[in-house]
């Protein structure tokens, strides 16, 4: 089994925490016809990290770096999660039991399911573990 098919390239944009940063990112994606599928913002000491899942990561990366943004790719995992009490616990406890650390995560919920985006310290091990416990992972080629 190849774990690579489940490694999704997330864009991490590092920026000064000031008005207009998210708008600039969104406008750049709009201009390049890049769809933003999910995002999260974290702030620390006047700087922020905007983490973004997009359908065309290479195009977004090129556009944002050409605008002077500090941008990097990070591999994350997208796991379908039950959209009910205990859904998150079911996934987090399996990773914890295997001593796999969740560095950060964010989630979104749709009509029929929720999706948990995970950045973990042992990506391939986490993929194998989650698949062995019959969790549905979203393949990178279905969104990117």
């Amino acid at each position: 089994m190849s774990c690579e098919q489940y490694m999704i390239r997330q864009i991490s944009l590092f920026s000064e925490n000031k008005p207009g940063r998210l708008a600039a990112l969104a406008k750049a994606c709009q201009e390049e016809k890049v769809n933003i599928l999910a995002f999260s913002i974290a702030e620390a000491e006047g700087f922020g990290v905007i983490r973004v899942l997009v359908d065309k990561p290479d195009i977004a990366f090129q556009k944002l770096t050409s605008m002077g943004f500090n941008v990097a790719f990070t591999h994350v995992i997208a796991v379908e999660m039950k959209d009910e009490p205990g859904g998150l616990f079911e996934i987090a406890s399996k990773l914890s039991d295997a001593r796999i650390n969740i560095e950060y995560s964010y989630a979104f919920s749709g009509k029929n399911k929720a999706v948990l985006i995970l950045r973990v310290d042992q990506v391939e091990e986490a993929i194998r573990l989650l698949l062995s416990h019959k969790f549905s992972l979203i393949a990178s080629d279905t969104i990117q």
Side-chain angles (χ1 to χ4, degrees), residues 15-70:
S15 177
E16 194 175 4
N17 189 4
K18 65 180 189 179
R21 301 291 80 199
L22 182 60
L25 174 137
K27 182 178 181 187
C29 287
Q30 177 189 23
E31 289 172 353
E32 298 298 319
K33 297 185 178 14
V34 172
N35 190 23
I36 298 171
L37 306 168
F39 75 94
S40 139
I41 301 173
E43 181 272 333
E45 304 284 331
F47 283 85
V49 179
I50 304 173
R51 295 180 173 108
V52 188
L53 294 183
V54 296
D55 63 344
K56 300 172 193 164
D58 292 320
I59 293 170
F61 182 90
Q62 290 172 351
K63 176 70 173 183
L64 294 166
T65 54
S66 75
M67 295 170 63
F69 284 110
N70 183 3

Side-chain angles (χ1 to χ4, degrees), residues 81-93:
M81 177 174 66
K82 292 178 185 171
D83 193 8
E84 62 186 39
L88 177 59
F89 173 73
E90 192 174 30
I91 295 168
S93 64

Side-chain angles (χ1 to χ4, degrees), residues 94-109:
K94 294 291 186 234
L95 294 170
S96 174
D97 290 347
R99 313 240 354 113
I100 296 172
N101 186 45
I102 299 171
E103 295 176 353
Y104 60 81
S105 71
Y106 49 99
F108 58 93
S109 182

